[in-house]
Amino acid sequence: MSVNQQTHTGPPYGQPQPGYQGYQQPAYGGQPLPGVPHAQYGAYNGPVPGYQQPVPPQGYFPSLGFPSKGSPVSLNSDTSLAPNFIGSVRAPSTSGTSLSSGHLGYSPFGQGDVQNGIPASTAPMQRPPTSQPFLPGSAPVPVSQTSTFQQYGPPPASVQQLSNHMAGMTIGSTSTSAPPPAGLGYGAPRPPTMPGPPLPGQTAAGPPTSQPNHVSSPPPPPSTLSGPHPGPPMSGLHGPPPPTHPPQPGYQMQQNGSFGQVRGPQPNYGGAYPGTPNYGSQPGPPPPPKRLDPDSIPSPQLNELPPQQKPRHRIDPDAIPSPIQVIEDDRSNRGSEPFVTGVRGQVPPLVTTNFLVKDQGNASPRYIRCTSYNIPCTSDMAKQSQVPLAAVIKPLATLPPDETLPYLVDHGESGPVRCNRCKAYMCPFMQFIEGGRRFQCCFCSCVTEVPPHYFQHLDHTGKRVDFYDRPELSLGSYEFLATVDYCKNNKFPSPPAFIFMIDVSYNAVKSGLVRLICEELKSLLDYLPREGNMEESAIRVGFVTYNKVLHFYNVKSSLAQPQMMVVSDVADMFVPLLDGFLVNVNESRTVIVSLLDQIPEMFADTRETETVFGPVIQAGLEALKAAECAGKLFIFHTSLPIAEAPGKLKNRDDKKLINTDKEKTLFQPQTSFYNNLAKDCVAQGCCVDLFLFPNQYLDVATLGIVTYQTGGSIYKYAYFQLETDQDRFLNDLRRDVQKEVGFDAVMRVRTSTGIRATDFFGAFYMSNTTDVEMAGLDCDKTITVEFKHDDKLSEDSGALLQCALLYTSCAGQRRLRIHNLSLNCCTQLADLYRNCETDTLINYLAKYAYRGVLNSPVKTVRDALINQCAQILACYRKNCASPSSAGQLILPECMKLLPVYLNCVLKSDVLQPGPEVTTDDRAYIRQLVTSMDVAETNVFFYPRLLPLTKADVDSDSLPAAIRNSEERLSKGDIYLLENGLNIFVWVGVNVQQGLIQNLFGVSSFSQISSTLNTLPVLENPFSKKVRSIVDMLQVQRSRYMKLIIVKQEDKLEMLFKHFLVEDKSLTGGASYVDFLCHMHKEIRQLLS
């Protein structure tokens, strides 16, 4: 699953809990949870089998062009690393995170056994140990701790030392900081544009066909990168050996930034690093402080001398933090236990881990993930660390089948119980006082009378006796049935409507698209979303076709044949019929089927090539207004709307603007018409989903505005061809029509005193500073919220968030969905750094950067990202890490993947496009990423690479993933790479003939067709296994991924290599190793 499943967490509530009466809940409360030991966390503290230290490979790796094996090296100071690094990112994994501080039970009001709500964790929770030492040795860290849990000692450092190569090296101390060569702009100039290889699915000649959405195919690399390069031999990296020795007295081995019992030597660690000088068992004293020159870190630039002429030294890629290792560690440590949400401030397992969630008072991480679960008590401390405090909220997230959906609570005509002052909804953190007659608000401390119908006595601990019978008192997520006061114009809403609006211009008809859509709709209309037990959907449907004019259809059930009405005055759009336009599918089925049969025939001979677009949305909006309901428009559109009409656009595509100050205009709409239209749509609850089929520039930045601001989705199929793209389009359409969606939605996030929501990212509209308005919100969309301090927080009471979403269900029921989350607060920076979630942090940073390109030059945005991350890591180094030589790069355990993921974001098509990435692709990706959840950004920026030839055909499991680098690929194997939008199957030139026969049904490598878009169905175990892997991945993603077959050394391989994000990219983006060196230099500059 792409969503997290199963994880371990703190003990259940302090006392045995009676099961819920009133709703069935397996293992909720009463029974102790299987596998969660009550007091001690079993598997978490014991010795952990470590990993074999990777042995530095002998020989050379062509892809990175520096010799391996290491030795003190003197570096030329001209290899300064300009910030021209930057790449396609995926959301990070957070390894270490120990949760909570050892405070008394959480209570915002005084001490308490009198407390409702969720006990603070009295024992620091931990991300379990294990993740590979960063380099030759995780230095043990001072923190006196006995083997029982207790308050943290002085802020320790999870020290992952990239003892570097970067400066345990002999460095000429005379060199001054050399600025990057002038004229570089940002990063190296692009290699001369070569004629781009044909797009996927396209033969070398002929018109372009089907470009994978947003995928760029970089030009062939300079030939100089091909072979090994001479260079002096290097001996091993400097630094302490791996921890084979017992910890020093009073020190504790620290892994993952969490503290468990002091452990002895870890089994399975290799001995001293091969080739390392013989260090004693302890790191030696640091050398006398010597001013290290940050510019002397190796920093390859594409525009420097050819690699042969410059001896360069290479850091072993196996010695730097591996995303794959961190993901695997988290799976093995946290995938087997349920994640019980009863403890404040617990860091959940990574999004890549499959785990089960048990809601005991905090919302599931499937609904809310935070950048940190322990937030600074003061704004000064937050500013010092530069760690953004943000939550990625997915209010209608789909849950796996073994988790319970939020319960629906009906309080009758009086509606939900709320705080009188701040209007927060009743939740587990509210404190009942005076025998249960009043409650004190956990957000603003105001005291409110309990309504008579809601009164209940308290037990001896101060909890209400009906605590377990009421979801809003014991669960983190639940729903309230809304009363008429929560409805527009104080009347209950009608069920929503879906309107299908089909472009019938020449391109759409000729490509077979119109016929395909009409055929699919005949069956798809049986699958409209419906409430749990309803026999049929309450949603009504309507149909419009258009080119330069609009055609409305009357499909009233009493008609023998559908009737068409044409509106040619597009400047003043109106709906020519009311009765018979929006109908119940079952009642009007025969008329609808007749219409869908006739549409392709009616327009079969059309010569009309021009289209309108603005009036199409206006027509849908007017129809919903007339019917007094909310709804969704499904618009299928093929070309730039150049016909005379409101919202007419011109072709303004201009590649020359890239890397100039005017580049931002490419992301901005070319007219304000669509912004105003979006505002009207939101007011009516009219959500717009857009399916685009362009053969040339379409101006996604402008056409997508209404979709974006109404909470809709955009799908793009460039150079659409029936045979290669119909599966992907039909799967996307089916899922889009069937998925859960709330209409006319308003979301507000309330926080306890001390922080407040200040900034929001996602697909929505805001008319004020607090309410996020969405005409539609589906189960895939997230809203990212940033928080800032407006007062001090206290470690005792922590911080609370409550997300309240008011929406209309697909049956027309008005509901409130509530998600609550409690976080810890800290006065020590070490506690902040120990409880961060890198994947969520990257999700936030990518969205922040992608919004930044609307108003600032791309170079400014990239520099700001690098600078912020350098500050985050420098603050850790300065305040939390134990003293060590400036030559060591020290990263917090749970942020050790920040550099690799950040580099991926920087190299992404939005921030660093290759010459073949279109303006529309960039606008499309920018909008897509803005509402992605953490699991989606994670795989989008750091794709998943699986060796298919290593798959076990007899098991259901996936083969173990490998790192995204060309040097990890073997010519004799077949690999699959997925990023949430595309699946590549890469076939090496030396793959055994038998495997080729089994997978592709042809007898040799040369016969494999790279135009295949599905794998042939063959009756053999390997074919079945690979197809089942592809199907499993498709199910996990919100969009159907395009399958692209890539043969080694074929034209398409350049496209594939674009996604090997640990390597240097052809657009000038740095390799992971180089970027790590660059970040280290930036951190040292900040510290000096």
Side-chain angles (χ1 to χ4, degrees), residues 1-20:
M1 289 288 297
S2 59
V3 239
N4 320 331
Q5 296 221 285
Q6 268 182 189
T7 216
H8 148 251
T9 109
Y13 281 86
Q15 62 251 40
Q17 304 150 359
Y20 269 50

Side-chain angles (χ1 to χ4, degrees), residues 13-164:
Y13 281 86
Q15 62 251 40
Q17 304 150 359
Y20 269 50
Q21 297 90 36
Y23 21 89
Q24 310 79 18
Q25 250 203 325
Y28 194 133
Q31 313 79 321
L33 294 162
V36 180
H38 211 66
Q40 238 336 354
Y41 297 142
Y44 280 65
N45 296 331
V48 183
Y51 300 109
Q52 205 57 42
Q53 264 307 77
V55 179
Q58 306 296 312
Y60 296 92
F61 288 84
S63 79
L64 267 153
F66 347 158
S68 76
K69 307 188 54 171
S71 80
V73 293
S74 66
L75 296 167
N76 321 346
S77 61
D78 59 348
T79 50
S80 79
L81 207 51
N84 70 335
F85 284 70
I86 323 293
S88 178
V89 160
R90 135 207 139 166
S93 87
T94 57
S95 333
T97 31
S98 104
L99 292 162
S100 89
S101 48
H103 283 309
L104 289 172
Y106 145 73
S107 157
F109 333 95
Q111 292 306 333
D113 3 56
V114 218
Q115 78 180 35
N116 276 328
I118 309 266
S121 44
T122 43
M125 291 278 310
Q126 322 191 170
R127 270 241 185 192
T130 67
S131 34
Q132 99 279 24
F134 206 122
L135 255 177
S138 287
V141 173
V143 91
S144 30
Q145 282 219 315
T146 56
S147 58
T148 55
F149 282 119
Q150 45 172 313
Q151 255 334 84
Y152 289 129
S158 150
V159 189
Q160 288 237 329
Q161 304 181 322
L162 181 46
S163 77
N164 168 359

Side-chain angles (χ1 to χ4, degrees), residues 308-324:
Q308 296 89 306
Q309 298 173 28
K310 201 169 258 193
R312 283 243 300 288
H313 321 287
R314 154 184 178 87
I315 293 170
D316 173 15
D318 285 326
I320 57 181
S322 156
I324 304 302

